[in-house]
Every structure is written in structure tokens, then in C-alpha cells.
Amino acid sequence: MKYFIVVFILLTSQASAQIPKLYNHIANDVHSIYSRVLHQDRQIYINVPKLDSADVNKSLPVLYLLDGENHFHILSAYIEYLRHWKIIPPILVVGIVSVDRIKDLTPINSLINFDGEVSSNYKTSGGNEQFLNFIQQELIPYIEANYKTSPFKIFAGHSFGGLTAINCMLTRPDMFSAYIAISPSLWFGNKYILRLAGQKLPNLAMTNKKLFYSVGNEDGTFRNDLLKFDKLVTQNNSKTFKHQYKYYPNEDHMTEPIPAYYDALRFVYKNWTNDDTK
Amino acid sequence: MKYFIVVFILLTSQASAQIPKLYNHIANDVHSIYSRVLHQDRQIYINVPKLDSADVNKSLPVLYLLDGENHFHILSAYIEYLRHWKIIPPILVVGIVSVDRIKDLTPINSLINFDGEVSSNYKTSGGNEQFLNFIQQELIPYIEANYKTSPFKIFAGHSFGGLTAINCMLTRPDMFSAYIAISPSLWFGNKYILRLAGQKLPNLAMTNKKLFYSVGNEDGTFRNDLLKFDKLVTQNNSKTFKHQYKYYPNEDHMTEPIPAYYDALRFVYKNWTNDDTK
């Protein structure tokens, strides 16, 4: 602890001779990818971490983030700051910009809304399988062809994005190394994903995987559903499966991602040291 | 609460017809200002919030942030996100880039370091008065001449920056509307600022002012000093002085700013509504 304070003072006082490099500019690169799977152009928001000379040859873990237009900057800012202070490694952030999130981020077609009523807002729902195909078959290969990446991949989402992260973990557990689900909309489709978790999760091969899931003070069944999910997670028999549930009583559905994504990053990189290659 | 969820779903589902605007790009404008007070060029990092059409004629409150090279992006990302969801107003962020933070951010010359030993690292200390003159006489007028600003101004800093925020509040209480001091280095100079607070704070004119101060799990006297400061704050007799003390037992000196700056923004804009002009 004292080490950090001293290093902070020394590092920053050395800046007196020159204008300090503003290490934490966010790149704001927007890539446009035509997806044959989805038959549409997709915008991808990429932040390449500024590497110290010691790190320049290292392979980068990658964070694939849903709802990129919402949370990309907060996560990129966290990552640039934390890796600068060597609390986590440099991470490539890939923010997937939403086009029709109702379609892409829901596992089945269901018109029933949060209040249990039929709503035309959900008429496109049910495209999650195709969307995960796009990520697996097109986006990940694109990123791995264009950047020097490590095998360690994180998949993160909020709300329907959190639902998607859990669906991906249940149906394609090997696709990512760590999953982050902030307030997943487990209510959707008569709790389809919660039921799927009940079937799959206790025996899912989660060796060396990590999972963070959280909920705020939302109305309805958000918290109860996640507590049921938590029970299923703790029944999983993979001994090296690390998981954390967190509840934010003072945060609502839209503010919760701010503290939760920070806590999720710290959880995924708990006990990480600068010598780690992950 | 339910309102937020419904609005979130509707707003985001409407994006299906077009590529959504990535509202939260951070501007990354770097202005260079020659300071006659300091006899040097100073780099200023500015984020101009992207205004909705309804807000385009509104005057902007301004956050003046010390150690801009460290915390500018996190604060800009928080502000862009929270104002998008109408939890706080759009705020102009002015990050002051450090040149010699030992000099600029300490109130007196003292060579005694955190461990109580003499250290040449502090030989330039004691320039805070001149630095505050720069902000008051040059930087604020520059910002107010170039942007449409409201009178509501926030001054925020961490470590020596937190010490500076408190020194400013004690010696120039009218300069800002709200002060944020994250882990202020009250130990510096034989607790000079803590002693000054003991003289000034109980009777300081703090009408309608706000103050947030916090501490992590640092070694040494960080927390005890801040608790002494907290006692002095609560003795202040200004009835409309709003203040909050917060302790982060799981955060160290360098990670604490992440949750603390978020909590500080929420505190300053507690009970804010979209009709507010502040």
C-alpha cells in the first residue's frame, strides 16, 4: 500500500521536466465489418491500450463488450487507468455497437414485456443464436487477425446484454474465459434462460472459467431471479470455477453498470500480477 | 425505477433503423495556455459534452479537475454517461495537466515525506497559492470566455490534489460551488492544512456549498486525519452546507478515485432534476 503511494509520488513528480504523456486517451477507432451471418454492416468500437515499452510485445487479452455505444468509454477508461497502475494487464476493448438489440440480445421470440403484457417492441426478438454465430465466426477471427491477442477473452453485457453473456456461457462455455452479466434480464421469455441454467449449469464444464453477475435495485423479479441463478452457479462442481455475485442496493438499472463493471474487472483480475501473461 | 427500464428499452430499440450515434466519445481537446502567473505553458484537457437539442442553449456547469492526466477520462466517461441518462446535467470537464504537482499542489515548502523523513523529492513544494492564482485569474476567465458556462463550478482533486481542493475551500471559499477531495494528503507539512482547517472551518461561510471527501485503506494517518477533518466539517454552522465523508476499505490510494469520483458526482447532483439550471 505504502508502495503505491510512494510510486505515485515519484512517478508523477518526475513529470516536472516535460509535458506528461496523456496515457489515457481513448482511441475511438470505429471499424465497420460486413457480417455474412447477419447480412448487415456492424460497427465495432475498439480501444487499443497504449503499451509501455516493457509490454509492447505482449499478447493482449480481449474484452468483448455488448451495447458498446453505452459502456465502451467507461470500460476503456477503467482499463487504461488500472493497467497504467499495473492492477490489471493492458486489455483490448471491443465494443459491439447495437443495431437491433431486442433482436440480437434475446434467445427466443417472445412478445411479453417486463410488465407481463404483450408488446410490439419485442417483435424482432429471438436472434441471439445468429448474433453469437457472428461473434464466434466473424468478429473474433477479425480481431485475432488484426491484433496480437492472447487466448484470454472476456464477454460482458448489461440487461439484455447480461442475458446474452449468460446464454453464451450456457450454450458455448468454451467461447470465453470470463463472463460478466450486469443485471441480466432473466425475466425475458418466461424466464427462458433461467430455466436453461437450471438444466445446464450444475454440470457445465467451467474449469478455469470466471463469472461475475450483479443486480441493482430494480423493480420486479430482477433480484429474485438472479438469486435463483446464484444458487445454480454455486451447485456447479467445477473446482476451478470462480464466480462472484454482487448486489447494489443504491444503484438503479442504468447506474449499476458504473460500479459493477469496475468490480467485475477487479474480480476477473483478482490476484493478477504484472508477470502474468493473461 | 421501472420508468428507467422502459425508457432504456424503448430508446435503444428505436436505434434499429440506423447506426446509433456514439454519444460518449471523449473530445480529447488539449488547449495550451501560457500562464503569466506561473511563467509557463499549461496544458488543459477539455471535454465538451455532446448536447441534446433540448440542451443546446443551456449554460454548462464546469468541473475543474486536478491531475488531469490521471482522472480526466474516467470523469468524462462518467459525466457523458450520467448526463445521457439525465441523472446529472451536461458538465464541461477541464482537466489540468500536471507539470510539477509537488510544487503546484502543496501549500507550504516542506521536505518531510510521507514516512516523516527528509526527502529532496519535495524541494519544489509550496506553490499552491500561485497555482490557485493561475486557476482564478487565468484559467477560469479563459474557460468562461470560450464556453457558455453557468456559475456552478466544481473543484476536484486526489491526494495532493485533494489537499489543494481543501486549501482552496479554506482560503477562497467563494471560488467554487462544490469541492471534491479524494484521499487528501493531510499529512503533508506537519498537517499544515488540517491545522488551518481547525482555525477556519468551523466559522467558514459555506452557504449553499457542497463538499465530498473520502479515504481508502492507505497506511499511515490518512484516515485518522480525515476523520479529524470530518469533525471540523460537522462543526460548521452554515445550514445549507452539504457535505459527505466516505470510507473505501477495499480500495487503495490509486484505485479509490474510481468509485469515489462516481460517488462524489452523485453527491453533488443529489436531487438534481432535468429542469435544474445548475
Side-chain angles (χ1 to χ4, degrees):
Chain A
M1 174 68 265
K2 191 179 289 181
Y3 166 81
F4 272 117
I5 298 172
V6 172
V7 168
F8 174 52
I9 290 168
L10 292 183
L11 278 177
T12 47
S13 67
Q14 280 169 1
S16 62
Q18 81 233 49
I19 299 302
K21 270 167 76 178
L22 297 165
Y23 63 81
N24 54 2
H25 280 217
I26 306 302
N28 289 346
D29 286 348
V30 183
H31 293 223
S32 190
I33 301 175
Y34 178 75
S35 166
R36 290 171 191 225
V37 172
L38 300 175
H39 307 291
Q40 65 189 174
D41 287 317
R42 296 301 300 232
Q43 312 298 313
I44 308 296
Y45 216 21
I46 296 181
N47 186 55
V48 185
K50 279 42 118 213
L51 296 175
D52 300 336
S53 53
D55 287 337
V56 84
N57 290 316
K58 278 193 185 161
S59 300
L60 296 171
V62 186
L63 171 68
Y64 291 86
L65 174 67
L66 299 170
D67 291 318
E69 69 283 4
N70 244 327
H71 302 124
F72 175 83
H73 267 88
I74 289 175
L75 273 160
S76 298
Y78 285 164
I79 286 170
E80 291 288 358
Y81 182 82
L82 292 169
R83 71 94 204 155
H84 179 77
W85 294 104
K86 303 201 185 303
I87 294 162
I88 64 171
I91 300 170
L92 189 76
V93 184
V94 176
I96 305 170
V97 176
S98 300
V99 177
D100 178 353
R101 66 191 299 281
I102 301 287
K103 178 181 177 187
D104 288 342
L105 305 184
T106 53
I108 57 167
N109 185 262
S110 165
L111 296 180
I112 310 300
N113 72 10
F114 182 70
D115 292 322
E117 294 154 3
V118 171
S119 164
S120 63
N121 288 325
Y122 297 90
K123 62 183 188 295
T124 61
S125 61
N128 206 184
E129 200 63 24
Q130 282 299 85
F131 183 67
L132 292 175
N133 285 342
F134 155 67
I135 295 175
Q136 189 162 34
Q137 297 164 20
E138 298 180 317
L139 181 59
I140 292 175
Y142 175 86
I143 296 297
E144 296 187 345
N146 284 284
Y147 300 92
K148 190 172 177 183
T149 58
S150 86
F152 196 83
K153 288 189 286 292
I154 308 168
F155 194 35
H158 163 242
S159 200
F160 281 154
L163 191 70
T164 295
I166 292 174
N167 189 28
C168 182
M169 186 188 84
L170 296 175
T171 57
R172 312 179 191 209
D174 289 337
M175 197 164 145
F176 293 96
S177 320
Y179 295 85
I180 298 170
I182 314 290
S183 278
S185 308
L186 292 168
W187 58 268
F188 180 80
N190 193 23
K191 305 189 200 296
Y192 172 83
I193 289 294
L194 190 56
R195 286 181 282 129
L196 189 68
Q199 294 161 28
K200 298 213 169 202
L201 193 45
N203 298 308
L204 204 65
M206 294 298 288
T207 308
N208 291 322
K209 301 283 178 190
K210 295 181 181 177
L211 169 66
F212 178 96
Y213 45 106
S214 64
V215 68
N217 61 14
E218 288 98 341
D219 287 337
T221 61
F222 265 93
R223 190 169 168 225
N224 279 344
D225 290 346
L226 199 63
L227 287 169
K228 285 177 193 160
F229 178 78
D230 182 53
K231 256 195 187 154
L232 297 167
V233 169
T234 56
Q235 286 168 25
N236 185 280
N237 53 19
S238 303
K239 282 191 184 127
T240 57
F241 177 29
K242 300 256 194 282
H243 44 83
Q244 187 178 359
Y245 160 75
K246 202 150 177 187
Y247 170 44
Y248 297 90
N250 298 319
E251 304 295 341
D252 66 33
H253 193 62
M254 294 319 297
T255 65
E256 184 207 348
I258 295 179
Y261 271 130
Y262 169 66
D263 291 333
L265 282 175
R266 297 299 305 270
F267 162 73
V268 169
Y269 287 101
K270 200 173 173 175
N271 303 322
W272 176 85
T273 68
N274 198 31
D275 306 323
D276 251 318
T277 53
K278 277 182 187 170
Chain B
M1 176 66 267
K2 191 179 289 180
Y3 167 81
F4 271 118
I5 299 171
V6 171
V7 168
F8 173 53
I9 290 168
L10 291 183
L11 278 177
T12 46
S13 67
Q14 281 169 359
S16 62
Q18 81 235 47
I19 300 302
K21 271 166 76 178
L22 297 165
Y23 63 81
N24 53 2
H25 280 217
I26 306 303
N28 289 346
D29 286 349
V30 183
H31 293 224
S32 189
I33 301 175
Y34 178 75
S35 167
R36 291 172 190 224
V37 172
L38 301 174
H39 308 290
Q40 65 188 173
D41 286 315
R42 296 301 300 232
Q43 312 298 312
I44 308 296
Y45 216 20
I46 295 182
N47 186 55
V48 185
K50 281 39 122 214
L51 297 175
D52 300 335
S53 53
D55 287 337
V56 83
N57 289 316
K58 278 192 185 162
S59 298
L60 295 170
V62 186
L63 171 68
Y64 291 86
L65 174 67
L66 299 171
D67 291 318
E69 68 284 3
N70 243 327
H71 302 125
F72 176 83
H73 267 87
I74 288 175
L75 273 161
S76 298
Y78 285 165
I79 286 171
E80 290 289 356
Y81 183 81
L82 292 169
R83 70 95 205 154
H84 179 77
W85 294 105
K86 302 200 185 305
I87 294 162
I88 65 171
I91 300 170
L92 189 76
V93 184
V94 176
I96 305 170
V97 176
S98 300
V99 176
D100 179 353
R101 66 192 298 281
I102 302 286
K103 177 180 179 188
D104 289 342
L105 305 184
T106 52
I108 56 168
N109 185 261
S110 166
L111 295 181
I112 311 299
N113 72 10
F114 181 71
D115 292 321
E117 293 153 4
V118 171
S119 165
S120 64
N121 287 325
Y122 297 91
K123 61 182 188 295
T124 61
S125 59
N128 207 183
E129 199 64 24
Q130 282 299 85
F131 184 67
L132 292 175
N133 285 342
F134 156 67
I135 295 175
Q136 188 163 34
Q137 295 163 19
E138 298 180 317
L139 182 59
I140 292 176
Y142 175 86
I143 296 297
E144 296 188 346
N146 284 285
Y147 300 93
K148 190 173 178 183
T149 58
S150 85
F152 197 83
K153 289 190 285 293
I154 308 168
F155 194 35
H158 163 243
S159 201
F160 281 154
L163 192 70
T164 295
I166 292 174
N167 190 27
C168 183
M169 187 188 84
L170 296 174
T171 56
R172 312 179 191 210
D174 288 337
M175 197 164 144
F176 292 97
S177 321
Y179 296 85
I180 298 169
I182 313 291
S183 278
S185 308
L186 292 168
W187 59 267
F188 179 81
N190 192 25
K191 306 189 201 295
Y192 172 82
I193 290 293
L194 190 56
R195 286 181 280 128
L196 189 67
Q199 295 160 29
K200 297 213 169 202
L201 193 45
N203 299 308
L204 205 64
M206 293 298 288
T207 308
N208 291 321
K209 302 283 179 191
K210 293 180 182 178
L211 169 66
F212 179 97
Y213 45 107
S214 64
V215 69
N217 61 13
E218 288 98 341
D219 286 337
T221 61
F222 265 93
R223 190 168 168 226
N224 278 344
D225 290 346
L226 199 63
L227 287 169
K228 285 176 193 160
F229 178 78
D230 182 52
K231 258 195 184 154
L232 298 168
V233 170
T234 56
Q235 286 169 23
N236 185 280
N237 52 19
S238 303
K239 284 192 182 123
T240 57
F241 177 29
K242 301 256 195 282
H243 44 82
Q244 187 178 359
Y245 159 75
K246 203 150 177 185
Y247 170 44
Y248 298 90
N250 298 320
E251 305 295 340
D252 66 34
H253 194 62
M254 293 319 296
T255 65
E256 184 207 348
I258 294 180
Y261 271 129
Y262 169 66
D263 291 333
L265 283 175
R266 297 299 305 271
F267 162 74
V268 170
Y269 287 101
K270 200 174 174 177
N271 303 322
W272 176 84
T273 68
N274 198 30
D275 305 324
D276 252 318
T277 53
K278 277 180 187 170

